[in-house]
Amino acid sequence: MSGSSPFKMRLVHLDLKGAPPKVCYLSEIFPLFRALGANGVLIEYEDMFPYEGHLRLLRAKHAYSPSEIKEILRLATLNELEVIPLVQTFGHMEFVLKHEALTHLREVARFPNTLNPHKEESLALVRAMIDQVMELHPRARWLHIGCDEVYYLGEGETSRQWLQQEPNSKAELCLSHMEAVASHVRAQYPTTTPLMWDDMLRDIPEDQLSGSRVPQLVEPVLWDYGADLDLHGKAILVEKYRKSGFSWLWAASAFKGATGVNQSLTPIEYHLRNHLQWLQVAGSMPADTLQGIILTGWQRYDHFSVLCELLPVGIPSLAVCLQALVHGDFAENVKARVENFLGISSLEEMDFRSEGAGSFPGSNILALVIQVSLHLCSSVDALLERDRYVTGWFSPYHRRRKLIHPVMIEHIQPQALSLLARWNALAGELEAALQRVFYPDTVEEWLEENVYPSLRRLQALLQDLGEAASPRQDSGQDP
């Protein structure tokens, strides 16, 4: 299957810091991942991991149980998918540092993003997290330790004082923490290699990188989710990393979750271009320079942001991207294979309005999300903001004063009731579909963000109509 692919490892990233799927859904999509050309999954557990003891406070309400983690690993093995767990150990520590009991370990007191690298307790915390994750992943050949977007590093009071001493630098501060974390992994788990996002390494001079132990300890993952990669810049960066002493490098693309913080539908063409460009990057280098690629599928931009595209919504994009990587291009025959895998007639006309328009797990969710995303707001806007009877005879001015010509109720009310009934029915159908795949908090959040605001606007209009239609004591008063 991977004969024409320059990436021997192709990992699907599951970002569980938002909309974590139930294990029963993973049992349905793991076979599809494998069929499409994936041979591994990178699982970013965040607060879905069943931390125990003093770390128990990190657990989300619906965190997986240890037995569920074991079932996920069993399902992965069954489908020949290598599992690589991801534990954030430096930046993106919001799910840890938001807790009052751990706020003293923040780099900057106000912000929960970044861990204070100066405190021994910080390192002890990270080691404990790694140890608990590794206990449930004893055969993991790689462990991803995060280390991306370490915002505000060097801005804490301790760091400021430390940086005033020669020859201390922010790069040294960064490298020393990375080295401490990676050394723990190497010492405690000799058969496990740490992976790490590369963005904090990009601006560190080659001699400083090679002078540290980091290149001997980790394998960096070069990530870029853009549709237009700087191919020459990537080649220079790869050369720098190789000269610095890194033996193996990885790439990271994106199949969803990289085009808008509140994006609800995945722009497939954008993500396909990203992967075709990564193929160009790999093709311009000696064979095996990049030993694998991680297809990221971000579910939130950070722990506090809204949900972006749900996993079932991103499956067609994932299928396109994986098959492009497997075959080295996206020719017509590859496109036909994708359509066959997904059970759809045409990627270009993927509106899912007809029944049975897709047969992949979660295709019903995608069909309903498309309807909501493309038509819910616009249909409500059309009534409230462009319908001549509403704008002309029941404007905000009229609504506040509950004034309306009785005949206009007959023009407005049936439309509003029909629209509300239509969208209430679809919302109920979507809620049921989401409940099969996701936990209650995800279902509530997605509907609250994307569906209920429009329904409330219709309900408010109908309530105002009802009140305006009621007999009033001051009915003889001029408007």
Side-chain angles (χ1 to χ4, degrees):
M1 177 176 280
S2 59
S4 58
S5 177
F7 301 105
K8 64 181 179 183
M9 296 290 293
R10 295 175 296 277
L11 309 176
V12 178
H13 171 231
L14 297 175
D15 177 20
L16 304 185
K17 66 175 173 284
K22 293 179 178 178
V23 177
C24 60
Y25 184 64
L26 295 179
S27 73
E28 295 177 12
I29 57 170
F30 277 5
L32 179 62
F33 287 179
R34 180 59 187 162
L36 290 169
N39 50 20
V41 285
L42 175 72
I43 305 183
E44 185 163 352
Y45 286 108
E46 212 187 55
D47 55 6
M48 284 301 290
F49 188 80
Y51 289 106
E52 295 286 2
H54 69 290
L55 297 180
R56 194 179 180 90
L57 81 167
L58 304 183
R59 285 189 184 191
K61 180 180 179 181
H62 300 286
Y64 296 142
S65 67
S67 61
E68 285 178 313
I69 300 284
K70 289 173 183 172
E71 175 63 7
I72 291 170
L73 296 179
R74 188 191 71 81
L75 291 168
T77 302
L78 195 64
N79 291 284
E80 300 176 35
L81 297 170
E82 178 128 17
V83 173
I84 300 178
L86 188 154
V87 182
Q88 286 289 3
T89 59
F90 206 175
H92 283 292
M93 290 284 281
E94 299 98 324
F95 82 102
V96 177
L97 300 178
K98 72 178 183 181
H99 295 284
E100 189 174 348
L102 298 169
T103 55
H104 64 289
L105 298 181
R106 296 174 177 182
E107 166 71 343
V108 176
R110 287 180 56 213
F111 306 132
N113 311 59
T114 297
L115 192 68
N116 183 333
H118 301 278
K119 294 193 175 185
E120 179 55 37
E121 191 182 343
S122 294
L123 194 55
L125 170 72
V126 165
R127 286 171 177 159
M129 290 166 62
I130 288 171
D131 292 344
Q132 290 199 21
V133 169
M134 287 302 296
E135 186 178 352
L136 287 183
H137 298 78
R139 289 188 291 277
R141 290 196 293 165
W142 290 276
L143 170 70
H144 201 309
I145 59 172
C147 293
D148 60 317
E149 298 180 334
V150 188
Y151 298 138
Y152 318 114
L153 181 65
E155 296 181 21
E157 188 54 41
T158 308
S159 289
R160 288 178 189 275
Q161 294 173 14
W162 185 85
L163 289 169
Q164 287 173 359
Q165 303 166 33
E166 293 290 343
N168 294 346
S169 66
K170 197 180 289 189
E172 180 57 37
L173 182 59
C174 191
L175 289 170
S176 62
H177 182 73
M178 292 171 174
E179 186 177 313
V181 174
S183 294
H184 174 74
V185 177
R186 291 285 198 176
Q188 297 299 313
Y189 314 99
T191 59
T192 304
T193 301
L195 300 182
M196 190 176 70
W197 302 120
D198 83 306
D199 52 288
M200 297 304 294
L201 304 174
R202 292 172 194 166
D203 295 330
I204 297 178
E206 183 186 314
D207 59 343
Q208 196 167 4
L209 275 179
S210 57
S212 75
R213 291 184 59 232
V214 170
Q216 283 72 54
L217 296 170
V218 308
E219 296 176 1
V221 183
L222 288 70
W223 61 271
D224 195 326
Y225 313 143
D228 297 297
L229 303 191
D230 177 0
L231 303 183
H232 180 63
K234 288 285 177 291
I236 292 173
L237 190 58
V238 165
E239 184 65 16
K240 170 186 159 180
Y241 288 157
R242 296 303 294 267
K243 284 183 177 178
S244 299
F246 291 102
S247 300
W248 296 101
L249 306 174
W250 296 64
S253 55
F255 74 89
K256 78 173 189 77
T259 57
V261 68
N262 63 342
Q263 185 86 18
S264 58
L265 295 177
T266 307
I268 295 176
E269 181 62 34
Y270 177 97
H271 294 289
L272 173 60
R273 281 170 58 197
N274 175 242
H275 286 79
L276 293 177
Q277 299 232 321
W278 268 116
L279 283 168
Q280 285 189 52
V281 171
S284 68
M285 297 171 185
D288 296 332
T289 301
L290 297 171
Q291 78 161 359
I293 186 167
I294 298 167
L295 293 85
T296 64
W298 300 103
Q299 196 52 77
R300 296 189 198 277
Y301 274 32
D302 68 39
H303 185 80
F304 292 105
S305 67
V306 298
L307 294 169
C308 42
E309 310 104 295
L310 297 170
L311 181 56
V313 172
I315 293 295
S317 176
L318 176 64
V320 165
C321 297
L322 270 172
Q323 282 287 286
L325 291 177
V326 167
H327 295 283
D329 60 22
F330 196 68
E332 277 300 313
N333 64 316
V334 182
K335 177 173 166 289
R337 285 174 59 89
V338 168
E339 290 166 346
N340 185 55
F341 277 125
L342 299 177
I344 61 176
S345 57
S346 171
L347 276 168
E348 288 88 358
E349 298 168 19
M350 197 176 59
D351 59 11
F352 290 84
R353 275 178 288 193
S354 59
E355 287 193 21
S359 58
F360 64 91
S363 56
N364 58 333
I365 290 176
L366 174 56
L368 294 164
V369 168
I370 287 174
Q371 294 302 307
V372 167
S373 301
L374 298 185
H375 306 299
L376 173 55
C377 275
S378 59
S379 66
V380 174
D381 285 348
L383 176 64
L384 297 183
E385 298 172 17
R386 292 188 292 282
D387 180 274
R388 65 188 294 260
Y389 298 112
V390 175
T391 59
W393 281 271
F394 206 45
S395 70
Y397 175 88
H398 293 90
R399 289 178 65 176
R400 279 194 300 274
R401 291 161 178 78
K402 305 297 184 280
L403 297 169
I404 192 169
H405 191 298
V407 76
M408 290 305 161
I409 295 174
E410 297 172 20
H411 285 290
I412 298 170
Q413 195 173 54
Q415 284 191 78
L417 286 169
S418 173
L419 202 56
L420 184 61
R422 170 191 164 193
W423 288 115
N424 266 333
L426 189 140
E429 194 179 341
L430 177 55
E431 183 175 8
L434 289 172
Q435 283 172 344
R436 205 181 70 78
V437 172
F438 299 109
Y439 296 96
D441 50 356
T442 297
V443 178
E444 178 186 12
E445 180 180 352
W446 202 91
L447 294 174
E448 183 65 46
E449 287 283 346
N450 299 281
V451 177
Y452 294 156
S454 292
L455 298 188
R456 289 193 192 105
R457 293 176 71 199
L458 287 173
Q459 290 162 347
L461 174 71
L462 286 163
Q463 183 175 333
D464 287 350
L465 275 173
E467 292 176 7
S470 301
R472 300 173 57 202
Q473 296 296 318
D474 58 344
S475 55
Q477 187 178 322
D478 290 336

